[in-house]
Amino acid sequence: MPSDYIDSKGTHKGFVADYLIIIQDKLGFKLEMVYFDNWSDMMEGIKNNEVDLIGAIQKTDERTLFMNSTNIYQTIPLVILTRNNHPSSFKNHQIKKMNIASVRGYASINWVKQDYPGVETSDDLAAILKTSLGETDGTIIDLMAASYIVE
């Protein structure tokens, strides 16, 4: 949420859903939606040809081995979300000492694993809760999702 989610009635919502409606209209056919419980399952679904299209995904070198990508249609910055009692700004050398939470299978977890200690979680909320409860020093997350969840 809020860019791409399924609401309580099972309806696909967010701007990704809006883009998919435009794509369907332009191509003249209806896409069949396939739902997964989490990001990791969805990635396995695309690898195993259970789905043909993911509405929003970051391109990585690893993913180019099993999927093609369009041009970028939306850019959302990544942030490190910390607790209120954490210093409001910090340097790169300080980040390297932080224990960072991120979602398993997200492109950001690959970046975190390269340079920083980290904890993998099943979803954005779980990552933020780990930080909120003091189990991690911060969460790497896109700004849109962070703003929505925190609010």
Side-chain angles (χ1 to χ4, degrees):
M1 290 187 181
S3 60
D4 190 25
Y5 66 100
I6 308 301
D7 71 10
S8 60
K9 296 178 183 173
T11 304
H12 190 200
K13 295 282 191 170
F15 73 79
V16 173
D18 296 339
Y19 275 111
L20 292 175
I21 289 168
I22 292 168
I23 291 168
Q24 290 178 103
D25 290 345
K26 292 203 177 274
L27 295 177
F29 63 83
K30 185 161 176 51
L31 298 170
E32 178 186 344
M33 296 301 201
V34 179
Y35 301 100
F36 294 92
D37 291 331
N38 57 55
W39 184 262
S40 296
D41 289 349
M42 185 176 65
M43 293 304 296
E44 287 303 311
I46 194 100
K47 286 179 187 177
N48 296 328
N49 295 315
E50 296 171 40
V51 294
D52 299 312
L53 178 131
I54 297 176
I57 189 167
Q58 186 173 351
K59 183 179 180 179
T60 66
D61 291 341
E62 177 189 349
R63 292 174 183 167
T64 61
L65 300 174
F66 58 89
M67 62 189 299
N68 296 315
S69 299
T70 64
N71 292 330
I72 296 170
Y73 63 86
Q74 182 69 39
T75 301
I76 303 166
L78 288 177
V79 296
I80 297 176
L81 193 66
T82 61
R83 290 181 308 283
N84 287 341
N85 64 353
H86 198 279
S88 61
S89 64
F90 34 85
K91 306 281 187 225
N92 192 42
H93 71 278
Q94 293 167 307
I95 297 170
K96 287 182 182 263
K97 295 176 185 172
M98 293 171 68
N99 187 19
I100 305 287
S102 184
V103 177
R104 184 177 306 106
Y106 277 16
S108 56
I109 195 71
N110 294 332
W111 174 74
V112 170
K113 281 181 177 178
Q114 288 175 10
D115 296 317
Y116 308 100
V119 173
E120 294 182 24
T121 64
S122 59
D123 56 55
D124 290 320
L125 179 58
I128 289 175
L129 286 174
K130 285 200 174 290
T131 298
S132 178
L133 296 171
E135 295 175 28
T136 59
D137 300 312
T139 296
I140 189 165
I141 186 171
D142 74 71
L143 184 58
M144 187 182 300
S147 298
Y148 180 83
I149 292 169
V150 168
E151 188 171 311

